[in-house]
Amino acid sequence: MLTQAPKGTSDILPAQSGKWQYLESLFRDICSRYAMKEIRTPMFEHTELFVRGVGDTTDVVEKQMYSFDDLAGRNITLKPEGTSPAVRAFVENGIYAETQPTKLYYITPCFRYEKMQKGRYRQFHQLGTEIFGSASPMADAEIVSIAADMFEALGMKEIELRINSVGCPECRAKHREALKAFLADKFDGLCDTCKGRYNKNPMRILDCKSKECQKLVEGAPMMLDYLCDDCKDHFEEFKSIITDMGIEYVVDPWIVRGLDYYTKTAFEFVSTKEMAQGTVCGGGRYDNLIEQVGGPSTPGVGFGMGIERLLLLLGEEGIALPEDEGVDYMIITMGDEARGYGAGLARKLRRAGKSVQMDMMGRNFKNQFKYANKIKAKNTIIIGEDEVKTGSFSVKNMATGEQTSVSADEIDKL
Ligand code: ATP
Ligand code: MG
């Protein structure tokens, strides 16, 4: 074999694509109930869109981006997430000047140079939503509600919504100082990455996966205790609206999202089972991002849900998605004349919206039948010399064995 798929990528094979299509169409359907419109942005962007001037300190931006120079020397990055490109499109196309809010969804591959693990890949796929233009906790609540609707529609029970507030730049500054003071005498015990985070963005230390760092941050000051009045009110209202919506949640003061642009609400949907990659959906509010990208000061909130992780969790819960249902008709023919007649009939049926299979492997009569069973044909039609002559044929329902005679002018009724 010449080569294999690059590490961390996978093919979605014909046997699996039905599940993907099912999840995607469920997501589209739910989004449309919230009057969300789809946005499709390019697979790559100028690198500065993700790096920005402020110096993002997250793993995604510091270590995981697929960045390269194109042939004209422009630095390009394969999109690691969907929010920044949607923001760029919103600003570039002047959508902010239209009536707000702007409610968007997308289905997109994302690229991150990560260490491969179950549920962690280098090309993965996200279902994403964004609401731009509303500072109201109503927007946060609708975003969370869309994700909750997805899990509910899929019948998932072992999943929990965890919420937190990461405050705004003003109140975060106070927390930052308190956190630094708390960690000062623990600095030597931190991992190298966190030593670097200590001055740049100490809050990220709370999110470190290393066991040593996790021990050291036990008892650290919580952002929730430092919220300013505006952030506190926002969080209280958000909780009250989702409660009214009938959405259950737990407050988890340790949630720090994986991207630095978040403000106020941060949330995750996490499997209640002990598992390594249990976070299936993450999101929150980012009231300064649109301005950072060069647009007018505009609030925003959204989430990203990993499709691979969603499939993993569905598997864990033993939930099977609807299987490939098989074709409506298999037309079985004997001889060249019958084959031509069958091909004409197949085209008529397909034009009428039916799915039809015919043999193209030179199978004999018996093997065409076997094949009809294999592909789970719901009905078979046999065309021989007589059928060609009379123009009528019989349709056999494979589930019941019932046969119906159909004349040429009755085809429309099939
Ligand atoms: P994690 O903590 O697992 O690294 P994250 O905080 O980096 O996640 P986000 O940037 O919030 O994740 O992305 C949203 C969702 O996309 C995640 O909740 C997860 O379901 C999915 N996701 C993120 N990175 C990967 C990956 N490398 N492979 C598969 N799915 C991923
Ligand atoms: Mg990550």
Side-chain angles (χ1 to χ4, degrees), residues 60 64 80-81 112 114 119-126 207 209 256-259 262 268-269 277 279-283 303-310:
V60 175
Q64 301 176 344
E81 52 116 4
R112 296 184 191 178
E114 298 217 60
R120 193 176 288 290
Y121 312 104
R122 291 185 176 172
Q123 174 171 345
F124 63 98
H125 299 78
Q126 275 190 0
D207 197 34
K209 306 275 190 294
V256 182
R257 299 286 315 124
L259 295 153
Y262 286 101
E268 292 182 346
F269 283 85
Q277 260 58 253
T279 308
V280 58
C281 174
F303 72 67
M305 187 184 295
I307 303 183
E308 287 82 357
R309 292 208 192 158
L310 186 55

Side-chain angles (χ1 to χ4, degrees), residues 10-30:
S10 42
D11 302 306
I12 298 158
L13 298 170
Q16 300 145 1
S17 55
K19 288 185 184 177
W20 284 71
Q21 288 174 347
Y22 180 83
L23 291 177
E24 288 164 5
S25 72
L26 175 65
F27 179 64
R28 286 177 192 282
D29 185 31
I30 291 174

Side-chain angles (χ1 to χ4, degrees), residues 170-390:
E170 281 90 74
C171 51
R172 204 143 59 193
K174 293 196 191 103
H175 174 253
R176 181 190 155 102
E177 290 319 309
L179 191 57
K180 279 177 80 173
F182 174 86
L183 289 170
D185 61 345
K186 302 179 176 66
F187 183 85
D188 290 341
L190 295 171
C191 73
D192 286 348
T193 315
C194 285
K195 282 188 176 126
R197 287 167 172 162
Y198 182 81
N199 275 319
K200 281 199 270 179
N201 189 354
M203 201 193 248
R204 295 224 51 78
I205 300 174
L206 302 175
D207 197 34
C208 184
K209 306 275 190 294
S210 118
K211 286 268 173 296
E212 288 74 44
C213 293
Q214 282 177 3
K215 258 211 114 42
L216 289 175
V217 299
E218 269 174 32
M222 296 187 298
M223 187 60 229
L224 281 182
D225 292 332
Y226 288 80
L227 295 181
C228 62
D229 287 345
D230 180 39
C231 291
K232 205 181 289 169
D233 288 349
H234 187 94
F235 193 51
E236 292 307 317
E237 278 181 56
F238 167 59
K239 287 190 289 188
S240 149
I241 299 166
I242 56 174
T243 303
D244 285 339
M245 285 174 147
I247 297 170
E248 286 176 28
Y249 65 87
V250 289
V251 174
D252 177 349
W254 302 113
I255 290 180
V256 182
R257 299 286 315 124
L259 295 153
D260 271 355
Y261 50 62
Y262 286 101
T263 52
K264 294 183 176 165
T265 314
F267 65 88
E268 292 182 346
F269 283 85
V270 186
S271 168
T272 52
K273 285 191 175 173
E274 233 353 273
M275 59 187 289
Q277 260 58 253
T279 308
V280 58
C281 174
R285 179 164 279 283
Y286 43 86
D287 287 346
N288 303 316
L289 178 63
I290 296 173
E291 197 173 3
Q292 275 177 26
V293 170
S297 172
T298 309
V301 57
F303 72 67
M305 187 184 295
I307 303 183
E308 287 82 357
R309 292 208 192 158
L310 186 55
L311 287 165
L312 210 66
L313 264 55
L314 283 165
E316 285 285 325
E317 286 207 38
I319 297 169
L321 298 180
E323 289 281 322
D324 182 7
E325 287 180 343
V327 295
D328 296 324
Y329 294 95
M330 165 82 193
I331 301 179
I332 296 169
T333 63
M334 281 176 293
D336 286 350
E337 237 187 315
R339 189 179 71 171
Y341 183 90
L345 176 59
R347 183 148 194 262
K348 274 189 195 135
L349 289 169
R350 287 170 179 149
R351 278 203 304 242
K354 309 290 183 195
S355 58
V356 186
Q357 271 279 47
M358 278 189 71
D359 175 61
M360 51 174 78
M361 303 304 293
R363 289 183 176 90
N364 63 24
F365 191 60
K366 194 174 126 214
N367 285 340
Q368 289 187 49
F369 262 110
K370 272 197 191 159
Y371 183 66
N373 282 322
K374 184 161 168 52
I375 62 172
K376 296 188 212 140
K378 289 176 201 147
N379 303 283
T380 51
I381 295 174
I382 298 172
I383 307 289
E385 266 174 45
D386 285 354
E387 283 78 9
V388 176
K389 247 183 250 154
T390 61

